Amino acid sequence: MKSPTWIRVVMLGGATAAASAAVLAKSPLQSPAPSEHAPAYTADGLLLVPADYREWIFLSAGLDMNYSEKADISGMSMFGNVFVNPEAYRAFRETGTWPDNTQLVLENRNASSKGSINKHGKYQTVETMGVEVHVKDTARFDGGWAFFASDDGIAPAQKFPATASCYACHRDHAAVDTTFVQFYPTLLPLAVKKATLSERYVRDEASPPVAHP
Amino acid sequence: MKSPTWIRVVMLGGATAAASAAVLAKSPLQSPAPSEHAPAYTADGLLLVPADYREWIFLSAGLDMNYSEKADISGMSMFGNVFVNPEAYRAFRETGTWPDNTQLVLENRNASSKGSINKHGKYQTVETMGVEVHVKDTARFDGGWAFFASDDGIAPAQKFPATASCYACHRDHAAVDTTFVQFYPTLLPLAVKKATLSERYVRDEASPPVAHP
């Protein structure tokens, strides 16, 4: 019997499927020493995408989230899955904020509607669409944090320059320490309890929503 | 300053927020012995919802997935996050299928569109809408697996009777061992590689999609 198309895609579809398999093959889900999840860089300052981030702590997933008033008309539909290294998660539970060496990984993944027996709504497919990492490394970055992106989620990730809009947006609107804890439903109650929400965030949430460019 | 409404909801909103905090407080994210994640039951056969499932391995998230031709007109919008116990995940990576004592936890969570700075798409909020668990316990269940549900994700979960439609649907349409691995994007390539896909699933996927009642 001829293999159905989707099986050939999964088996031979190149970077994405092969990379997923490589990620899975590389990390044996042992209990690593904390230093194993510290950010690592190439000599020229690129960030190595953590090979085992799919085994880190899941914080939340969104679909086609967009902070701009204007709707996205690209026609693309993507889930964003967010993971954090276990050491940082443990620290957040204790303190309501992030320690040095925190890495928040946003994995973008294709959203499909009709496939197998699914008829409505959206599910995630094997096609990834890049990875972004938000890294806290106070010895390395002005402001303590930096954003990186890898188009295929495999190649070392390039740093966004400090002038990129992500920095200003996170500084101005993030619930905790420049991170969007308002979208991480198990962490938000902890930040409330530990009183680690930013003053500006609390004030903005108490007022009608502000326009965002 | 008066607390904004959402903060009061998070702090005082009763079962859901309190439960999230309790779940987080209870499990110190140590490396547990495998037996810690084996299914546990009450004397009358209810399943204890694993307190630390949010720290298990995330498999995928869907939004408003529906296997019926008829659209859902309830007006509710929910994400479904799926987690598996780490021991079962490790075994799946080795073998392409599930060992005894596998627990797949589906957490249903409210989907919102506009909130904080988000303007489009959907994100997850602190309100959970129940948990379902698919348990492999071959000594206990005919067919090896059973489905359980807990309305609040805290109370022990009730078993669906063997006549419930979930059993027939999973038996007939699941990619691997009655589980919907076709919707778990990092596991599907492993099942292909290990040749553990069900024959019927491979045949159905090669043909035009079948109608589903």
Side-chain angles (χ1 to χ4, degrees):
Chain A
M1 188 181 67
K2 195 158 169 285
S3 296
T5 309
W6 70 267
I7 291 189
R8 275 177 277 130
V9 168
V10 167
M11 296 191 78
L12 308 168
T16 303
S20 301
V23 166
L24 289 164
K26 260 187 235 163
S27 68
L29 195 69
Q30 290 154 350
S31 302
S35 61
E36 280 193 45
H37 292 147
Y41 309 91
T42 63
D44 50 348
L46 304 176
L47 177 77
L48 300 180
V49 176
D52 61 347
Y53 72 81
R54 286 283 308 195
E55 297 169 2
W56 292 5
I57 301 295
F58 170 73
L59 294 183
S60 196
L63 178 73
D64 298 329
M65 289 174 69
N66 186 337
Y67 307 147
S68 165
E69 293 290 350
K70 249 164 95 172
D72 174 19
I73 53 165
S74 70
M76 304 247 296
S77 186
M78 294 193 304
F79 282 93
N81 301 314
V82 179
F83 303 85
V84 69
N85 55 307
E87 302 80 12
Y89 172 77
R90 264 198 298 267
F92 194 100
R93 289 201 341 192
E94 296 296 321
T95 66
T97 191
W98 300 113
D100 224 19
N101 290 339
T102 293
Q103 293 191 78
L104 291 154
V105 178
L106 168 64
E107 176 197 70
N108 294 309
R109 197 172 273 278
N110 180 57
S112 275
S113 185
K114 291 184 200 305
S116 180
I117 59 169
N118 197 62
K119 300 288 190 285
H120 305 280
K122 296 278 179 92
Y123 65 93
Q124 305 192 16
T125 75
V126 294
E127 291 84 23
T128 56
M129 281 137 151
V131 154
E132 290 163 49
V133 191
H134 194 193
V135 180
K136 184 169 187 175
D137 188 337
T138 51
R140 195 173 182 101
F141 307 121
D142 283 345
W145 291 83
F147 292 94
F148 291 84
S150 167
D151 283 348
D152 62 3
I154 310 298
Q158 285 207 300
K159 185 171 172 294
F160 285 87
T163 50
S165 60
C166 44
Y167 294 92
C169 183
H170 277 250
R171 184 193 62 223
D172 291 348
H173 300 295
V176 178
D177 191 13
T178 78
T179 67
F180 284 153
V181 166
Q182 60 263 52
F183 300 128
Y184 305 147
T186 58
L187 298 189
L188 182 57
L190 291 171
V192 172
K193 195 173 158 197
K194 303 280 186 184
T196 53
L197 296 172
S198 84
E199 278 183 36
R200 173 159 175 178
Y201 174 73
V202 172
R203 194 177 62 229
D204 285 351
E205 291 298 307
S207 316
V210 291
H212 188 266
Chain B
M1 188 179 69
K2 195 157 168 284
S3 295
T5 309
W6 70 268
I7 291 189
R8 276 176 277 129
V9 168
V10 168
M11 296 192 79
L12 309 168
T16 303
S20 301
V23 165
L24 289 165
K26 260 189 237 164
S27 68
L29 194 68
Q30 290 154 352
S31 302
S35 60
E36 279 193 45
H37 293 146
Y41 309 91
T42 64
D44 51 349
L46 304 177
L47 177 76
L48 300 181
V49 176
D52 61 347
Y53 73 82
R54 286 282 311 195
E55 297 169 1
W56 292 6
I57 302 294
F58 170 72
L59 294 183
S60 198
L63 178 73
D64 299 329
M65 290 175 67
N66 186 337
Y67 307 146
S68 166
E69 292 290 351
K70 250 164 92 173
D72 175 18
I73 51 164
S74 70
M76 303 248 296
S77 186
M78 291 193 305
F79 282 92
N81 300 315
V82 179
F83 302 85
V84 69
N85 55 309
E87 302 79 13
Y89 173 78
R90 264 197 299 267
F92 194 100
R93 288 202 340 193
E94 296 296 319
T95 65
T97 191
W98 300 113
D100 224 20
N101 290 339
T102 294
Q103 294 191 78
L104 291 153
V105 177
L106 168 64
E107 176 196 71
N108 294 310
R109 197 173 273 277
N110 180 57
S112 275
S113 185
K114 291 185 200 307
S116 179
I117 59 168
N118 197 62
K119 301 286 189 288
H120 305 281
K122 296 278 179 90
Y123 65 92
Q124 304 192 18
T125 74
V126 295
E127 292 83 25
T128 55
M129 281 137 151
V131 154
E132 291 164 46
V133 191
H134 194 193
V135 180
K136 184 168 187 175
D137 188 337
T138 51
R140 195 172 182 101
F141 307 122
D142 283 345
W145 291 84
F147 292 93
F148 291 83
S150 167
D151 282 348
D152 63 3
I154 310 295
Q158 283 207 301
K159 186 172 172 291
F160 285 86
T163 51
S165 60
C166 44
Y167 293 92
C169 183
H170 277 250
R171 184 192 63 224
D172 292 347
H173 300 295
V176 177
D177 191 14
T178 77
T179 66
F180 284 153
V181 166
Q182 60 263 51
F183 300 127
Y184 306 148
T186 58
L187 298 189
L188 182 58
L190 291 171
V192 171
K193 193 174 161 197
K194 303 279 185 187
T196 52
L197 295 172
S198 84
E199 279 183 35
R200 173 159 176 179
Y201 174 74
V202 172
R203 194 176 63 229
D204 285 351
E205 291 297 308
S207 316
V210 291
H212 188 265

